[in-house]
Amino acid sequence: MNESSHHVVVVGAGFGGLEFTRALDGAPVRITMIDKRNHHLFQPLLYQVATTALATSEVAWPIRHLLRKRKDVTTLLATVSGVDRAGKRVLLDDGNAVAYDTLLLATGARHAYFGHDEWEPFAPGLKTLEDATTIRRRILLAFEQAERETDPTKRQALLTLAIVGGGPTGVELAGTIVELAHDTLRGEFRNIDTRQTRVVLIEAGDRVLPNFAPELSDYASKALERLGVTVELGRPVTRCDAEGVVFGDTHLPARTILWAAGVAASPAAEWLGAAADRAGRVLVEPDLTVPGSPEIFIVGDAAHVLRPDGRMVPGVAPAAKQQGRHVAATIKARLAGDATPRPFHYKHDGDLATIGKRAAAIDFGWIKLTGRPAWWLWGLAHIYFLIGFRNRLAVSLSWLWIYVTGQRSARLITQGDDDRN
């Protein structure tokens, strides 16, 4: 066991926190990993759990298992409630505290409703496994209730699904849900035709995938429409409730609404009493430290980091992993006696989004791909970054089965009663 006196505390076992811990292997430190959940989540594929393509165990792994060979790492299942900067302690909600010499906050983000938190019960976001299984349950229950509904108007509302937000998550949800309704469930009900399901993607901006090149956004819109998705652009949502969603001057009766429109950072800024942007991301120094506290680093969705051109570093897994490796290198340098600040430089590897099971859009800057070649490349990239051979094999077989047959196996309704349904 590493007997070093330098104690590094990591809050959050997401991409940034886990990559940081791995990169610090061999350094003369003790590490305590704190997370309120016992698993690391491969969030890019979370929407596939929500839409019945994958099981929860195929996109999440126990943190203790991942770090089992690291005798220098202690894992704590606990919820952080604050940070005592002066005393250099992480405060836990049970009244305990964990002292640190160096602290890394990799606490991620949650969904944001632009000042309308009252919408959340009607339009759940997608950030956790619990979110995914809740959404999966609502989608499947909508079909079950439509099968029993005799009123045509109410039945159509049950068969209408609205997705708010046209970024990669919204686009991927829309494409997968329409295939679930039109292909997977076709012929399984007696009183409804699931091909009559209407999936509406609502984006306040003038195009979907706004971070992609315009020609790829145009391709994505057309690909979604070919699948049967209705794409509504340029009209922000002004209301979500049990009856549906309002955007512009249109009221859409929809019993299932999914939120993919915005995120807010974790409470890290509140814990630290630090300056933050409008989304709650801490305004960190170029080396990812908190102003006035060089022993505290923030990575991932909780950090406001700018590129040289003034644009923000995106809240994506590759960025969090790069930041985690950067902080690990900084700490190693400090322990070796070099305290020179090391500014973080982000390398953008590209943007990827899938549209159903046969199309995708990929923007590497120097090359842009669409259609089936992009879909296969998207799939290979995600399989590569999964943890462990078993998971890569399981996901590959699931995707191949869906690709060939259209059938999705993770269609169990397993949660307790939902107040809305």
Side-chain angles (χ1 to χ4, degrees), residues 33-157:
M33 168 72 76
I34 304 174
D35 200 294
K36 63 183 178 181
R37 292 182 171 82
N38 80 328
H39 54 267
H40 167 74
L41 175 64
F42 191 80
Q43 204 168 75
L45 293 181
L46 188 57
Y47 81 95
Q48 297 214 355
V49 175
T51 54
T52 77
L54 296 176
T56 55
S57 60
E58 293 173 324
V59 300
W61 307 273
I63 299 167
R64 292 187 183 280
H65 176 74
L66 297 177
L67 299 175
R68 67 193 184 282
K69 297 180 180 179
R70 293 288 301 279
K71 303 304 181 183
D72 57 325
V73 180
T74 298
T75 301
L76 300 180
L77 180 65
T79 299
V80 172
S81 61
V83 175
D84 174 8
R85 293 172 72 173
K88 299 178 70 171
R89 300 184 307 154
V90 174
L91 309 178
L92 306 181
D93 68 349
D94 61 3
N96 290 315
V98 181
Y100 64 84
D101 296 302
T102 298
L103 173 62
L104 179 84
L105 296 177
T107 46
R110 52 196 171 182
H111 20 273
Y113 294 85
F114 310 116
H116 291 279
D117 290 347
E118 71 274 12
W119 294 350
E120 184 171 10
F122 311 106
L126 185 59
K127 286 295 179 185
T128 67
L129 281 181
E130 293 87 351
D131 293 336
T133 52
T134 294
I135 288 172
R136 181 179 68 191
R137 181 176 186 276
R138 289 192 180 187
I139 292 172
L140 295 175
L141 277 179
F143 291 108
E144 296 295 341
Q145 291 170 351
E147 175 79 350
R148 298 169 54 192
E149 181 58 63
T150 57
D151 183 290
T153 301
K154 293 180 179 179
R155 175 183 285 177
Q156 187 54 58

Side-chain angles (χ1 to χ4, degrees), residues 223-413:
L224 287 168
E225 289 168 351
R226 283 195 296 271
L227 284 175
V229 177
T230 300
V231 179
E232 298 283 356
L233 301 174
R235 290 186 289 173
V237 168
T238 56
R239 192 176 81 223
C240 295
D241 57 30
E243 302 305 316
V245 60
V246 175
F247 56 100
D249 57 358
T250 299
H251 175 256
L252 177 68
R255 284 299 311 276
T256 303
I257 308 169
L258 307 180
W259 189 265
V263 297
S266 69
E270 300 172 24
W271 297 343
L272 298 167
D277 63 14
R278 293 176 59 186
R281 294 176 287 248
V282 176
L283 303 177
V284 296
E285 300 286 5
D287 63 352
L288 305 179
T289 59
V290 175
S293 296
E295 74 282 0
I296 303 178
F297 295 85
I298 303 184
V299 301
D301 289 332
H304 179 103
V305 187
L306 296 180
R307 305 190 213 181
D309 61 5
R311 291 185 298 162
M312 271 199 59
V313 172
V316 294
K321 294 174 76 169
Q322 289 178 37
Q323 290 168 353
R325 290 193 295 268
H326 176 84
V327 174
T330 296
I331 292 173
K332 287 181 177 179
R334 287 182 180 181
L335 293 171
D338 181 5
T340 305
R342 304 173 65 257
F344 170 70
H345 299 289
Y346 170 62
K347 179 184 177 183
H348 188 58
D349 295 325
D351 296 305
L352 303 86
T354 183
I355 309 154
K357 65 180 183 180
R358 290 186 176 86
I362 294 179
D363 187 352
F364 289 136
W366 57 278
I367 188 172
K368 297 173 178 61
L369 296 174
T370 60
R372 293 196 184 193
W375 186 88
W376 285 104
L377 184 57
W378 174 92
L380 290 172
H382 283 72
I383 289 170
Y384 174 79
F385 286 111
L386 288 171
I387 298 174
F389 174 77
R390 177 186 174 278
N391 294 294
R392 294 188 183 107
L393 179 61
V395 171
S396 299
L397 291 175
S398 293
W399 284 351
L400 182 62
W401 182 253
I402 293 169
Y403 187 86
V404 173
T405 69
Q407 294 301 305
R408 303 163 192 268
S409 58
R411 289 195 280 132
L412 304 181
I413 302 173

Side-chain angles (χ1 to χ4, degrees), residues 203-222:
E203 166 57 40
D206 59 1
R207 59 190 179 101
V208 300
L209 301 180
N211 292 331
F212 286 57
E215 60 268 29
L216 294 182
S217 296
D218 183 60
Y219 166 81
S221 287
K222 292 178 179 177

Side-chain angles (χ1 to χ4, degrees), residues 2 51 131 151 171 180 199 223 268 303 310 390 411 416-418:
N2 194 321
T51 54
D131 293 336
D151 183 290
V171 167
L180 169 69
V199 178
R390 177 186 174 278
R411 289 195 280 132
D417 291 338
D418 184 303

